Amino acid sequence: MKSLMKRVFAAAAAIATVFGLAATTVATANAADNATLTVSTTDAKFAGKTVNAYKMFSATVSGDGKAVSYTLTDEWKPFFKNSTASGLTGATDANVNDKANEYVSSLTGKEKDLVAFAAKASNWAQKNNITAATTTVSTDATDGKYTATFTGLDYGYYVVAVPGATLANASGQYATLVSVDRTNVTANIKGDLPTVVKKVNGESATSAKIGDTLTFTLTSTIPDMSAYDTYTFNFKDTLSQGLTFGQVTSVTVDGVTDPLTVNTDYTVTTPTTSDNTLTVSMKDFKKQQANAGKTITVTYTATLNKDAVVDGHGNTNSATIQYSNNPSSGGTGESEPSKVRVFTYGFTVDKYTGDSYTPDAARLPGAKFTLAPKNGEPMSFVKVKDGNATENAVYRVAKTGEEGATTTIITPANGKVVFQGLENGEYTLTETKAPAGYNKLASAIGVKVNGSNDGTDTTNATVNITYNNDNNDTTYDQTASNGVIPVQNKSGVVLPGTGGMGTIAFTVIGVLVIALGVAWTLKRKNA
């Protein structure tokens, strides 16, 4: 009899110590189930996302809090009876509670197996629409952490996951298992959400001149789609009005020799005048499950056009991933946007005359200039605004073959002309013709355009325009204040001749003396 009682108490103790929690006494009823579970993360991409907490087991805690016993909930019994879903074998209606307790308890200390179990449990709960407590991750970080708080929870053993979360690391952990067996419990959000990284010419920002063709890449990671029968995975890229879409040149998976095929593996929806969004939609993406964790990259081209913003915030373009986040309902989520900026720059020439450069100095219309890359041929421009006595003339870089393009830039009545649509670099400004009555510049002017940005889309670029008065010089020792380069012309002077009115008078008198002498000589001969 004593032996039997020992076995009974031993069995009870074994159940009470499930999940590695030692039990020293048989658990008694909870005084109250009103627990708070706070989960947190330092990762901003979880901000504002929903978090689900699925109660797998109910828990009863002893009065002294040292012993916990767990009872499997009815909703989770099918999970453990399905060996494919849970990994547990031999569970029946009669023994599923004990088998589930024993199985989960056996995973204690086996990190890899526990992680795999958490993933299976999370996937199954999402796919089967299991009841969950829900809350939302804060959008503002406190002490560097974004938090989500569940209140009024029953004691129990929970699977906590963000819908749509996938592989977090090499071990594949993207669900948190947590025992809520006291008033306040904390845990960390596990997993990763699909993200995209956008680059332009391999960088987060670049400069270009109008008409340049740029290469954009959109890179993401193929998620774990094991919980899904079908999976939505779309690249969505919004181009600025300053970009004209070219074409998708490739879609590739890292480590896979052949690129994916348009209309077989993906489709392309090109931007329109009303919706400047490029969409690359993956077809039958679930077949890429074998490549989960590998990078997938979309590459496309676009041209900087006449509507490009000059200086300022630049031309901002953003991309997101639209992805499945609910295998039971087919719902989707959208990643945080990844942004790049394309900058194009400009400067102003102010043509004046006089001893000093002041607002009151006389301005000169009619001066003609060319602008060329240093050691290059003159660039073509299109006049986009006529200047007058009060307004600047504006010329932008012309696209190849554009109608009305010219290499000659002419100053208006106020003497000021704006060059727009330039990339960073060195240029040669040459005066080809001075205004009537003024001397042309003796040498060309070297101009250096150097723009930079701080990586955000809410601040203006910093643009430094420097120049020199000798294009052969390798230094640019003068700074264009507010991007304005003053160019002085000096008036021409009437050069002195070698004769004047006095000389002419003496010449006339000399001629008369000679004539009179000839006449006197002739008269004497005839006498």
Side-chain angles (χ1 to χ4, degrees):
M1 182 67 180
K2 289 182 179 179
S3 176
L4 176 61
M5 290 302 294
K6 286 182 179 180
R7 288 198 296 271
V8 170
F9 280 111
I15 295 173
T17 58
V18 62
F19 314 143
L21 297 174
T24 58
T25 182
V26 177
T28 57
N30 303 335
D33 281 5
N34 188 24
T36 297
L37 169 61
T38 303
V39 291
S40 61
T41 179
T42 58
D43 198 334
K45 66 174 168 287
F46 285 101
K49 303 299 183 184
T50 297
V51 186
N52 292 340
Y54 306 95
K55 186 172 70 172
M56 180 183 288
F57 291 88
S58 297
T60 302
V61 183
S62 64
D64 60 7
K66 295 181 178 180
V68 183
S69 65
Y70 297 87
T71 303
L72 185 65
T73 64
D74 289 340
E75 274 192 309
W76 280 87
K77 288 179 179 179
F79 172 69
F80 285 98
K81 288 189 293 184
N82 184 340
S83 60
T84 302
S86 65
L88 170 64
T89 59
T92 64
D93 287 337
N95 66 10
V96 65
N97 182 72
D98 292 344
K99 285 283 187 179
N101 271 273
E102 293 169 4
Y103 178 66
V104 178
S105 180
S106 72
L107 301 177
T108 302
K110 301 176 181 178
E111 185 66 20
K112 184 177 179 181
D113 293 340
L114 194 61
V115 165
F117 173 77
K120 289 179 180 180
S122 174
N123 289 347
W124 186 85
Q126 291 184 67
K127 190 171 184 177
N128 290 275
N129 207 21
I130 298 301
T131 302
T134 63
T135 189
T136 303
V137 181
S138 62
T139 55
D140 295 319
T142 301
D143 296 329
K145 291 185 177 181
Y146 300 87
T147 59
T149 303
F150 297 91
T151 58
L153 288 183
D154 293 336
Y155 285 176
Y157 189 67
Y158 287 82
V159 179
V160 179
V162 175
T166 59
L167 300 177
N169 46 49
S171 66
Q173 185 170 3
Y174 53 91
T176 298
L177 301 175
V178 56
S179 179
V180 178
D181 51 30
R182 55 193 182 277
T183 305
N184 291 287
V185 179
T186 61
N188 294 322
I189 295 175
K190 301 290 186 180
D192 206 352
L193 294 170
T195 59
V196 61
V197 176
K198 182 173 183 177
K199 298 290 186 182
V200 53
N201 288 354
E203 304 290 342
S204 60
T206 192
S207 72
K209 69 178 185 296
I210 290 173
D212 280 352
T213 296
L214 305 164
T215 299
F216 293 86
T217 55
L218 312 175
T219 302
S220 188
T221 301
I222 297 175
D224 177 12
M225 300 170 281
S226 56
Y228 298 80
D229 295 324
T230 61
Y231 196 90
T232 297
F233 198 81
N234 302 327
F235 291 87
K236 299 178 68 176
D237 189 303
T238 303
L239 285 70
S240 70
Q241 293 303 311
L243 285 172
T244 301
F245 173 73
Q247 62 178 339
V248 173
T249 57
S250 68
V251 179
T252 59
V253 175
D254 187 40
V256 177
T257 303
D258 296 327
L260 303 187
T261 304
V262 65
N263 296 327
T264 299
D265 300 308
Y266 65 92
T267 60
V268 176
T269 303
T270 58
T272 64
T273 53
S274 59
D275 182 10
N276 207 24
T277 300
L278 166 69
T279 303
V280 178
S281 303
M282 308 312 297
K283 296 182 66 177
D284 192 17
F285 197 53
K286 184 67 186 286
K287 67 184 179 183
Q288 295 292 338
Q289 174 64 31
N291 292 319
K294 294 182 178 180
T295 58
I296 180 171
T297 303
V298 173
T299 303
Y300 74 90
T301 59
T303 302
L304 194 67
N305 64 37
K306 64 182 181 61
D307 296 321
V309 174
V310 178
D311 298 336
H313 291 181
N315 299 272
T316 302
N317 313 281
S318 64
T320 61
I321 292 290
Q322 183 185 37
Y323 60 91
S324 291
N325 68 356
N326 192 325
S328 64
S329 66
T332 59
E334 193 156 338
S335 71
E336 293 297 308
S338 176
K339 300 178 181 181
V340 298
R341 291 200 287 173
V342 179
F343 290 92
T344 191
Y345 303 110
F347 63 85
T348 301
V349 168
D350 190 358
K351 192 67 171 172
Y352 77 100
T353 189
D355 294 332
S356 59
Y357 180 59
T358 66
D360 296 328
R363 263 55 182 187
L364 299 177
K368 295 182 179 180
F369 290 92
T370 62
L371 184 69
K374 190 168 185 176
N375 301 321
E377 296 299 317
M379 302 167 62
S380 294
F381 290 83
V382 171
K383 184 191 290 186
V384 295
K385 183 179 179 181
D386 287 319
N388 52 39
T390 58
E391 294 186 342
N392 303 344
V394 179
Y395 290 78
R396 65 160 173 81
V397 175
K399 296 181 294 183
T400 301
E402 186 171 3
E403 184 177 353
T406 179
T407 58
T408 300
I409 310 299
I410 305 173
T411 57
N414 76 343
K416 297 178 183 178
V417 61
V418 181
F419 295 82
Q420 288 186 346
L422 304 171
E423 63 184 322
N424 282 338
E426 297 178 77
Y427 297 87
T428 298
L429 179 68
T430 304
E431 185 176 43
T432 59
K433 184 178 180 180
Y438 292 85
N439 295 327
K440 189 174 69 172
L441 296 181
S443 65
I445 297 174
V447 180
K448 185 174 183 179
V449 177
N450 183 20
S452 60
N453 74 95
D454 62 2
T456 71
D457 61 343
T458 58
T459 55
N460 291 338
T462 300
V463 188
N464 293 312
I465 307 295
T466 53
Y467 64 99
N468 58 48
N469 289 317
D470 182 0
N471 187 55
N472 293 320
D473 195 351
T474 58
T475 61
Y476 298 86
D477 55 1
Q478 300 182 72
T479 299
S481 178
N482 296 319
V484 178
I485 299 176
V487 178
Q488 182 188 35
N489 270 144
K490 294 182 179 180
S491 59
V493 178
V494 177
L495 299 178
T498 57
M501 287 303 295
T503 303
I504 294 174
F506 282 116
T507 300
V508 172
I509 292 172
V511 171
L512 290 175
V513 169
I514 293 172
L516 290 172
V518 171
W520 181 75
T521 302
L522 290 175
K523 184 175 181 180
R524 288 189 60 186
K525 287 183 178 181
N526 293 329

